[in-house]
Amino acid sequence: MPGGRTLLAIAAAALVSFVAAGSMAASSAAESRQPSRITVAGIREHLVALQRIADRNGGNRFAGTAGYDASARYVATRMRAAGYRVRLQEFRFPFVADRSPPVLRAPGTERFRANRDFGTLLYSGSGAVEAPVVAVDLLLPSPSTNASTSGCEAADFGSFPRGAVALLQRGSCRFRQKVENAAAAGAGAVVVMNEGNPGRRGLFQATLGSPQVSIPALAASVEAGDVLRNGRVSGPTGVTVTLRADVVAETRRTRNVIAESRAGNPANLVVAGAHLDSVDRGPGSNDNGSGSALVLEVAESLAGTRPANRLRFVWWGGEELGLLGSRHYVAQLSPAELRRHALYLNFDMVGSKNFVPFVYEGSGNGSAAPPPGSAAIERVFTRYFAARGQRVQSTGLGGGSDHAPFAQAGIPVGGLFTGADEDKSAAQRDAFGGQAGEPYDACYHRSCDTLANVDVALATRLARAAAFTVAHFARDVSAVRRAG
Ligand SMILES: [Zn+2]
């Protein structure tokens, strides 16, 4: 769909928004009341419960651990109590986690801490080395995001001394490619430092992808990387490092929680979901306790209504390891079951402290274009916010969360998002307040992503928009079906 259509659609949405809101109130007083049944106290109750679960289970709710399983029990219990039909969809997955914290020690690194300044890349190998550091084709300062090709080509390791620790930089190619090139060149271990652009200086978490690689592989902040590179961008740096990664990698089971309304036409499924798992380094209150609480509250607010179409709410497992739960769910659908899915709404991080209220873009160009029908979902959200004078910004869908497998299967998708580790721009500060040049969520994938890291009022406001949108499609999916 050409880009110009987006502007037209938004203009049209703004024009009709008052009409839509007015006719809604007149035609269905019951439905227009529903979003207001969603309260700050209701959202907070779920967030408190999930934080308590993390506190009692080693500080996280990571897939394959007791913290996740307790989260799934909490959601299933609440949904059964609300009258939904609940089932758990189990699947096996390649679990990976630190058995003990990683070690990175060299002269000048005493101030750096595991899981704050350096950490294990997901699917790192285990092992301990003491060896010289060799910088591999670093690009510092990096002129733009993802400019560095450090370690991307086998030729980067032309004269690499066997057994040395390769110091690489985050950049244009996949982390696994960098680590596999290093291992092939005989590196004893790898440290991938962050890139240096705004929002990309601290420790980051990334996955190498399953299966586990053969050598220890750590991520590090720019500051820690700078000590190891000792002024060099290529070749031996004169620093010797003691490095260790101690990783459990094994097949485990986890589950999606699926709650379905008893009423409604099962040929038209209206699906809303959020991932319920956290990273292993923190409790995940914003990512994604907030989206999980939103979907819980929406489902509870609609319990006991008689939707024309069947409602299905899903909490995904294993999102942080690569959208494992949503991929499994979509992959096991038969063609007939796939056709029953009228749309999917995703909610991942809806309470970011330095937020922008983003609505997933429903139109686009080429291979990035969302499935037909997605624009109709965006319009429902846009009209809702416009009618209440609430400003929002649209954002490209990307592939970063659980809507991606649905979009790939041709199911119309939409959703809300309030920002992760990227920095807020000056224009966004002018429109929405907060701090420009600071991340939307400063605790993204960190241990400080606690209850205190969630803007509960924001999550509540977005939950009302979500409830309105689910109720809209519960009544009528013709707009998304027609587009298909
Ligand atoms: Zn997330």
Side-chain angles (χ1 to χ4, degrees):
M1 201 179 285
R5 283 284 297 277
T6 312
L7 289 173
L8 283 175
I10 288 168
L15 280 174
V16 299
S17 59
F18 292 102
V19 179
S23 63
M24 190 80 62
S27 67
S28 173
E31 181 177 307
S32 69
R33 259 205 317 275
Q34 270 141 26
S36 65
R37 284 163 63 173
I38 289 176
T39 61
V40 169
I43 294 282
R44 188 184 299 279
E45 182 190 8
H46 301 311
L47 286 166
V48 166
L50 293 173
Q51 177 69 52
R52 194 166 292 151
I53 287 168
D55 293 343
R56 287 176 184 162
N57 290 281
N60 68 67
R61 299 181 296 102
F62 187 58
T65 70
Y68 181 81
D69 295 347
S71 303
R73 278 196 300 276
Y74 172 74
V75 170
T77 303
R78 292 295 296 232
M79 288 296 94
R80 285 195 186 101
Y84 288 94
R85 200 173 275 129
V86 176
R87 79 188 158 94
L88 303 177
Q89 183 181 41
E90 277 217 343
F91 58 95
R92 295 152 85 79
F93 73 104
F95 174 88
V96 68
D98 286 340
R99 184 182 290 114
S100 63
V103 172
L104 180 69
R105 219 166 30 231
T109 66
E110 297 77 11
R111 66 183 185 280
F112 300 131
R113 296 277 170 273
N115 297 329
R116 191 191 68 192
D117 306 290
F118 60 89
T120 317
L121 286 162
L122 288 169
Y123 298 103
S124 161
S126 285
V129 291
E130 185 174 345
V133 175
V134 174
V136 178
D137 190 23
L138 306 179
L139 183 61
L140 292 159
S142 175
S144 61
T145 297
N146 287 337
S148 170
T149 62
S150 166
C152 294
E153 298 94 20
D156 287 349
F157 298 89
S159 54
F160 192 86
R162 287 196 78 79
V165 172
L167 177 62
L168 309 176
Q169 182 182 8
R170 184 182 192 180
S172 62
C173 66
R174 292 185 160 277
F175 291 102
R176 188 176 187 94
Q177 192 178 336
K178 294 174 189 285
V179 175
E180 283 183 344
N181 284 339
V190 163
V191 177
V192 185
M193 63 186 286
N194 211 340
E195 167 197 86
N197 282 296
R200 294 162 79 92
R201 293 193 55 84
L203 172 63
F204 59 96
Q205 195 200 44
T207 179
L208 300 169
S210 172
Q212 187 181 26
V213 298
S214 58
I215 57 174
L218 304 187
S221 66
V222 169
E223 212 188 330
D226 276 342
V227 170
L228 300 182
R229 77 186 179 92
N230 197 20
R232 298 295 303 273
V233 293
S234 273
T237 69
V239 174
T240 294
V241 70
T242 301
L243 184 155
R244 194 182 71 206
D246 179 20
V247 172
V248 190
E250 63 192 22
T251 299
R252 289 196 185 178
R253 286 175 171 279
T254 191
R255 56 205 59 79
N256 299 323
V257 183
I258 303 174
E260 191 165 309
S261 63
R262 290 166 198 278
N265 180 359
N268 288 326
L269 287 175
V270 175
V271 188
H275 74 84
L276 183 60
D277 62 314
S278 73
V279 293
D280 62 343
R281 287 182 196 153
S285 276
N286 190 36
D287 183 13
N288 186 31
S290 64
S292 296
L294 178 151
V295 176
L296 273 163
E297 196 64 8
V298 168
E300 289 184 338
S301 80
L302 296 174
T305 62
R306 291 200 61 80
N309 299 312
R310 186 68 59 95
L311 303 182
R312 185 177 282 185
F313 301 98
V314 192
W315 291 263
W316 308 112
E319 190 270 357
E320 298 289 3
L321 287 167
L323 317 182
L324 301 180
S326 52
R327 283 201 176 130
H328 174 81
Y329 174 94
V330 171
Q332 57 77 48
L333 294 174
S334 68
E337 287 169 330
L338 204 60
R339 276 193 298 277
R340 293 170 55 211
H341 287 67
L343 70 154
Y344 173 68
L345 302 173
N346 193 57
F347 302 95
D348 189 358
M349 304 181 72
V350 294
S352 302
K353 284 269 174 163
N354 193 31
F355 66 91
V356 168
F358 289 113
V359 177
Y360 285 2
E361 209 158 57
S363 52
N365 294 314
S367 60
S374 305
I377 299 172
E378 184 187 4
R379 262 194 313 272
V380 173
F381 277 121
T382 307
R383 285 176 190 177
Y384 172 90
F385 288 115
R388 285 155 188 80
Q390 298 178 15
R391 298 182 74 168
V392 293
Q393 186 176 326
S394 70
T395 185
L397 279 166
S401 191
D402 295 299
H403 56 277
F406 288 87
Q408 277 157 21
I411 297 167
V413 293
L416 302 174
F417 170 59
T418 60
D421 57 344
E422 288 176 1
D423 284 3
K424 190 175 225 170
S425 70
Q428 289 170 336
R429 186 246 347 256
D430 294 345
F432 306 106
Q435 299 291 321
E438 296 288 331
Y440 303 122
D441 179 357
C443 288
Y444 176 68
H445 284 181
R446 297 176 59 196
S447 59
C448 57
D449 186 9
T450 61
L451 187 55
N453 185 49
V454 183
D455 184 332
V456 183
L458 172 68
T460 306
R461 184 157 75 78
L462 298 196
R464 289 179 181 142
F468 175 89
T469 302
V470 170
H472 175 96
F473 290 112
R475 201 171 59 248
D476 181 7
V477 291
S478 58
V480 286
R481 288 294 199 193
R482 237 191 341 266

